[in-house]
Amino acid sequence: MMNRCMKSLARARGSAGRALVLALVAVGGAGCGGPRMEVYTNPQADLSFYERVGVVPFRTLAVDRMAGEKFTTEFNTALLASELFEVVDFGVFVSDVAKVMGTRSPVEGLSAEQVKQIATAAGVQGLFVGTVSDYQMMSTPSGQFPVVTVEVRFLDAETANVVWSASVTERGGPKTPVIGLGEIHTLGELSQKVARTLVDKLK
């Protein structure tokens, strides 16, 4: 991908074109690169069947113990903005999860029976569950940049089968003395971008 982007830019004539190529190299290919991402859709599933869904609080394996809560908020917001589904109010849904699980905290895993019980309590056809495994600021000689790694699954309410799944690792760009060129420097901004990227893959 990077080579194709560089070749395309190299076609630009004159000093302006050369300067743009050098700028792109300086920031690690911003605009041409993208997140490392894997997406799975169950070939037997029909996403258009699901109208009302809920988002279970994401677990966190990251150093920041609040990473799951922070990213859940961003994902829930992106899902609402997409208007792909009717999304149950998050506070109400967490209460429904707590009725079944006995806790409002993220849970290690859900059995098929628990998925069905939560779905029945909330009146949904599917649940989003996820894990944040990396959520931190990395330091380099060029400065600090954010890194986020998330895995999200969408489960059918009746069977607990995985309907859709995606995992993504995305990083922002270290600060440069001259150009920003679309760089992201905070975990909040990067979380919003990752959440939107994941939801876009549902469309």
Side-chain angles (χ1 to χ4, degrees):
M1 172 67 84
M2 181 64 180
N3 288 337
R4 288 199 297 271
C5 291
M6 294 302 294
K7 288 177 182 177
S8 176
L9 286 168
R11 295 193 186 99
R13 296 291 187 265
S15 59
R18 288 192 295 274
L20 181 57
V21 171
L22 291 173
L24 185 60
V25 171
V27 296
C32 285
R36 296 198 303 274
M37 190 167 193
E38 294 183 1
V39 180
Y40 164 79
T41 301
N42 189 323
Q44 298 179 326
D46 180 6
L47 278 172
S48 65
F49 165 78
Y50 301 92
E51 297 179 356
R52 183 176 164 90
V53 303
V55 179
V56 177
F58 286 18
R59 291 192 307 135
T60 181
L61 303 178
V63 174
D64 183 343
R65 304 313 298 170
M66 299 298 290
E69 180 178 330
K70 294 173 184 176
F71 191 82
T72 303
T73 299
E74 299 296 352
F75 183 79
N76 195 72
T77 300
L79 199 59
L80 281 165
S82 74
E83 299 184 341
L84 290 171
F85 312 98
E86 177 189 352
V87 183
V88 177
D89 177 84
F90 184 66
V92 173
F93 189 74
V94 169
S95 294
D96 291 329
V97 173
K99 291 175 186 175
V100 175
M101 304 303 298
T103 176
R104 297 177 68 92
S105 301
V107 291
E108 187 69 23
L110 296 172
S111 68
E113 183 58 28
Q114 288 168 334
V115 168
K116 190 170 184 177
Q117 289 175 1
I118 291 169
T120 299
V124 298
Q125 297 155 316
L127 320 177
F128 284 94
V129 298
T131 301
V132 180
S133 55
D134 199 2
Y135 188 92
Q136 63 177 313
M137 296 296 296
M138 300 289 290
S139 296
T140 72
S142 301
Q144 287 192 319
F145 61 90
V147 178
V148 173
T149 299
V150 182
E151 187 255 341
V152 182
R153 289 173 293 140
F154 181 55
L155 308 179
D156 178 78
E158 284 294 320
T159 64
N161 289 339
V162 177
V163 175
W164 173 91
S165 177
S167 61
V168 58
T169 295
E170 178 70 283
R171 53 161 283 180
K175 293 181 179 178
T176 57
V178 181
I179 356 174
L181 204 62
E183 291 178 357
I184 294 175
H185 301 297
T186 70
L187 281 165
E189 289 179 300
L190 189 60
S191 294
Q192 291 176 0
K193 179 182 178 182
V194 170
R196 290 194 299 265
T197 298
L198 287 165
V199 172
D200 283 346
K201 292 299 180 181
L202 282 161
K203 298 177 181 178

